[in-house]
Structures are given as C-alpha cells and as structure tokens.
C-alpha cells in the first residue's frame, strides 16, 4: 500500500489511478503533484475568508476539495457548524435585548 500524492489516501502499489480523487498516478493527465495548481476557490485563505463572509454556506467547497480526505472534510464541517452555533448564541441574545429595548421605547412594557 502507498499513499496517493494528491489526496493522501491509501491505495494499492499497482494503482494507475486513485479511486478516491480520480487522479492518474503516472502523470498522464495531471502531471506531478507539485506542478498541479489547485483552483483559487480551494485555497485555504479563500475557504477561511468565505467562512467569515457567508458562514456555513462554504461547507460544499470543503466537501468538493480534491485533496482533503473524508476525515478532514468531516472535521472541518464540524468545526464550521460549532463556530456558527457559538456565534449564533450572542446574536440571539442581542436580538432579544433589542426587542426589549424597542418595546420599552414604544411603551408596551
């Protein structure tokens, strides 16, 4: 068994094409691992910026990333969901506080 140079999953020694990421291992289609540039939307900086801007809607990009293993995808998904929940708790408290403030302003208290 050896590791695929693209997705780092365990594959057979005789494998010509990785069954996980569908990359050819003999250089026919993709070239070597260092020469192949990943798309801009799969770069970590783009994923972090996307999470900061659109939150958990970035999860599909994580799951379509060609070089992440399934374990890494699952962990990143759980982290995204946990951070989103942690941010929603203070937002909920703020909305409740604003609602009370506007009720006091309207005299409905």
């Amino acid at each position: 068994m050896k590791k695929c140079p693209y997705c780092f999953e365990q594959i057979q020694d005789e494998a010509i094409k990785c069954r996980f990421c569908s990359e050819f291992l003999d250089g026919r289609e993709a070239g070597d691992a260092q020469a192949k540039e990943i798309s801009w939307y799969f770069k970590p900086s783009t994923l972090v910026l996307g999470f900061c801007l659109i939150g958990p809607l970035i999860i599909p990009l994580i799951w379509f990333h060609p070089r992440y293993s399934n374990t890494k995808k699952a962990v990143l998904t759980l982290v995204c969901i946990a951070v989103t929940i942690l941010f929603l708790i203070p937002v909920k408290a703020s909305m409740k506080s604003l609602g009370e403030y506007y009720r006091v302003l309207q005299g409905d208290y």
Side-chain angles (χ1 to χ4, degrees), residues 2 9 11 15 24 35-36 42 46 54 56 63 65-67 69 80 83 89-91 93 95 105 107 109:
K2 65 180 180 179
E9 292 287 339
I11 56 174
F24 284 99
K36 186 173 181 183
F42 286 135
T46 306
I54 60 174
W63 280 94
H65 198 291
R67 294 187 183 170
S69 67
C80 286
V83 169
I89 293 169
V91 168
M95 296 305 287
L105 283 178
Y109 53 99

